[in-house]
Amino acid sequence: MHIVICIKQVPDSAQIRVHPVTNTIMRQGVPTIINPYDLFALEEALRLRDAHGGEVTVLTMGPPMAEDALRKALTYGADRAVLLTDRYFAGSDTLATSFALSQAITKVGETFGTPDIVFTGKQTIDGDTAQVGPGIAKRLDLLQLTYVAKIASIDLDVREITVERRSEGGMQMLKSRLPCLITMLEGTNEIRRGSLDDALRAARSQIVKWSAADAGIEDLAKCGLRGSPTVVKRVFAPTARAEKAAQIDTTDKTLRDLADELIAAILTRQPALEHELAFDGAA
């Protein structure tokens, strides 16, 4: 079984800053990490590999520094890593990104074997669109299983997989044919620490680096800014509220007293609400 897992190197959101003049994200000096959602997908891919055999290929698109994220993935136990990097990819939105990654996955299949499953995280913490995974599935004509919470079973003989998917109404149990694309939810597993052997192997491993031409991408108009119909106009930090939150002392008070005090505080701040409630009651 061959599994491809798409990851992304993102700025650490805990240390992200916004330029006060240009209102753009300041990436200088901000450490980068593997997108946290992608780690759950990586762990699930490794578990399937360990249980059923095969290989796990990690793929990312980004600048040369994204090699660090790939080596980190190798320390967890991935078998190989592919970096798709080229100046033509700069400024890609989700449409252009899904195009480039789908082309690279096709090249991965031709080079290392056709993938049975493509994994992604449900979304990235820097974009939060959740569009790239489904976009890849559409371009590769793969069945897609999104927001997967658990892989219940997989039968490689009949090439079927059964998963639990989170939906607005609860949980769904879905069965699909292989190959397919799966986007994993957060909190679905716990990423392994990785062994010393894997860490040493990751340090010695040769990262496969492909340009657009190496990946077989011929239509460069679909890449980067030229292939991106959406543009981020401005990034800004929310303005701090001048009004501070009020606290209600709960010492030696019954629930009824607390409820009355809370309602009184709300109506004091929202006097129009009291009028609306009185009018509704009269009607």
Side-chain angles (χ1 to χ4, degrees), residues 46-281:
L46 294 174
R47 291 186 182 190
L48 286 177
R49 191 267 326 261
D50 294 344
H52 302 280
E55 295 180 326
V56 171
T57 298
V58 183
L59 169 67
T60 193
M61 184 184 83
M65 63 181 292
E67 181 179 331
D68 295 339
L70 291 174
R71 291 200 182 278
K72 183 66 174 178
L74 290 174
T75 65
Y76 291 127
D79 296 286
R80 72 174 61 87
V82 178
L83 172 60
L84 187 62
T85 183
D86 200 306
R87 62 185 179 86
Y88 290 111
F89 302 139
S92 295
D93 68 356
T94 56
L95 189 70
T97 299
S98 65
F99 171 75
L101 288 176
S102 64
Q103 295 287 292
I105 291 171
T106 299
K107 182 67 175 181
V108 167
E110 295 171 352
T111 308
F112 306 112
T114 303
D116 300 285
I117 304 175
V118 177
F119 273 101
T120 71
K122 73 164 186 177
Q123 63 195 65
T124 58
I125 61 173
D126 58 347
D128 280 332
T129 64
Q131 295 174 349
V132 172
I136 293 172
K138 176 63 176 178
R139 293 183 183 278
L140 295 178
D141 196 25
L142 293 174
L143 298 170
Q144 57 178 297
L145 302 168
T146 56
Y147 298 98
V148 171
K150 178 182 178 182
I151 295 180
S153 66
I154 183 170
D155 191 329
L156 296 176
D157 294 329
V158 297
R159 297 187 61 74
E160 287 184 346
I161 186 169
T162 303
V163 303
E164 292 182 9
R165 178 184 184 271
R166 186 186 302 168
S167 66
E168 292 183 0
M171 297 297 295
Q172 298 175 329
M173 185 71 75
L174 301 177
K175 180 180 288 187
S176 171
R177 299 186 306 275
L178 298 178
C180 67
L181 180 140
I182 296 174
T183 70
M184 292 298 299
L185 284 174
E186 72 281 6
T188 52
N189 51 46
E190 184 175 349
I191 190 70
R192 62 193 65 191
R193 295 180 62 89
S195 66
L196 177 59
D197 289 341
D198 284 329
L200 294 175
R201 178 178 58 84
R204 297 191 301 263
S205 292
Q206 184 71 30
I207 304 294
V208 179
K209 299 178 182 178
W210 287 342
S211 63
D214 294 332
I217 301 175
E218 298 179 356
D219 191 353
L220 296 178
K222 294 182 179 179
C223 300
L225 285 174
R226 294 173 63 190
S228 301
T230 59
V231 177
V232 177
K233 183 178 180 180
R234 186 166 64 101
V235 177
F236 60 94
T239 303
R241 295 179 59 178
E243 186 179 8
K244 295 183 179 181
Q247 293 184 342
I248 296 177
D249 185 11
T250 61
T251 307
D252 298 330
K253 293 180 181 178
T254 66
L255 292 177
R256 179 176 293 276
D257 292 338
L258 289 174
D260 291 340
E261 190 172 348
L262 176 60
I263 292 173
I266 293 174
L267 296 180
T268 299
R269 293 195 176 198
Q270 304 288 338
L273 181 59
E274 183 175 10
H275 176 73
E276 292 176 7
L277 293 174
F279 178 79
D280 291 342

